[in-house]
Amino acid sequence: MFFKRFCSHYQLGVLFVLLLLCVSCSKPHEFAGTEFPNIDAAPEIVGIAKGQDFQLSSLDDKVVIVFFGYTYCPDICPITMSEIQRAYEQTGATAEDAAVLLVTVDPERDTPEVLDAYASAFDPDFFGVHVEVAEQDELKKNYFVFAEKEAVDDDAENANYLVTHSDQVYLIDRDGNLRVVYRGADLVVEELASDIAYLMAN
C-alpha cells in the first residue's frame, strides 16, 4: 500500500514538473530593447564594406545588429561596439548566423579602408559600412538617426571636428525585418546576447 501511494505521489510530482517545464517553454520571449509595433522590412543600406559593394539585403538568413557611429568617436562608439562584440561572442555566433554593421555617420573621414580596419579590430567578421555623403540624409531619415558636425575651435572645417549623433542599435531578424531598437547607453551585454540568441533560434 505504501509503495503504491509512493508511486502515485512520485508520478504526480513528475507530472507537475513537466507541466512547469511546458509553461516555461511556452512563455514568450521578452526583448530587452523596444520592439517595433509592426514587423516590417528593414530599410535598405547600400555602401561599401570589406572592399566590395554592400547591401543589407544580401545578408540573407542572418540576424543583423546595426549601429550608426564613426571611427573618430571618443567615447560612446567604442564602448557600444565593445558591448556588441561581447554579446556576439556570448551567443557563440558565427558569420553564418549573425552580422554586425558599423554604419558611419562621418563618411568624409571614415573611408572604406578606415572603417574596415576599425570594425575588424572588434571582430574580423564585423562590417564597417561606408555610405556616400549624398545618401546619408535618406539613410538617417529611414533609421531615425541624428548626426551633426560639432565644430572644434569654432572652425566647422577643422579636421578634428566631432559628430554629435544618436546612439541607436538595431536588431534585424533572419527575414530582414526590424524587430528591436536599443539606446546604446542602455545596452546590457547579457540582455543583448539573449535577444540575438532568440532571433537566431527562431
Side-chain angles (χ1 to χ4, degrees):
M1 178 69 69
F2 171 79
F3 180 73
K4 288 183 178 178
R5 192 176 299 159
F6 172 79
C7 289
S8 177
H9 287 168
Y10 175 77
Q11 289 168 344
L12 284 172
V14 170
L15 180 60
F16 180 69
V17 171
L18 289 174
L19 285 171
L20 282 178
L21 287 173
C22 289
V23 170
S24 175
C25 290
S26 64
K27 184 179 179 181
H29 179 80
E30 293 185 8
F31 288 103
T34 301
E35 289 187 72
F36 285 91
N38 301 311
I39 299 178
D40 294 320
E44 184 65 281
I45 299 174
V46 178
I48 298 173
K50 296 185 182 296
Q52 300 179 336
D53 291 340
F54 172 87
Q55 286 186 296
L56 171 64
S57 56
S58 69
L59 300 175
D60 294 334
D61 201 34
K62 301 181 196 294
V63 174
V64 183
I65 304 96
V66 182
F67 174 58
F68 292 85
Y70 69 114
T71 66
Y72 287 78
C73 179
D75 39 43
I76 191 64
C77 297
I79 291 171
T80 302
M81 286 297 295
S82 178
E83 290 172 335
I84 292 172
Q85 186 275 330
R86 287 165 55 204
Y88 179 87
E89 189 175 72
Q90 282 188 18
T91 66
T94 68
E96 300 302 313
D97 304 311
V100 174
L101 313 184
L102 168 64
V103 182
T104 185
V105 293
D106 183 18
E108 293 96 332
R109 293 183 299 185
D110 283 347
T111 65
E113 295 76 18
V114 168
L115 281 164
D116 281 343
Y118 187 86
S120 296
F122 292 96
D123 188 288
D125 290 328
F126 288 6
F127 294 84
V129 183
H130 181 274
V131 176
E132 293 289 345
V133 175
E135 308 298 326
Q136 286 279 323
D137 286 346
E138 182 71 16
L139 181 63
K140 288 186 286 189
K141 177 183 175 183
N142 288 341
Y143 281 91
F144 308 100
V145 171
F146 170 82
E148 188 175 84
K149 285 184 181 180
E150 180 184 332
V152 176
D153 298 327
D154 298 321
D155 181 3
E157 300 303 319
N158 191 320
N160 295 318
Y161 63 83
L162 298 175
V163 178
T164 301
H165 64 97
S166 51
D167 64 348
Q168 298 101 305
V169 175
Y170 292 92
L171 202 53
I172 298 170
D173 67 21
R174 288 184 181 273
D175 294 321
N177 298 315
L178 272 176
R179 297 297 298 276
V180 192
V181 60
Y182 313 81
R183 285 192 66 240
D186 296 335
L187 274 186
V188 176
V189 171
E190 292 74 18
E191 292 177 348
L192 178 60
S194 175
D195 289 349
I196 295 170
Y198 172 78
L199 288 182
M200 287 197 304
N202 290 276

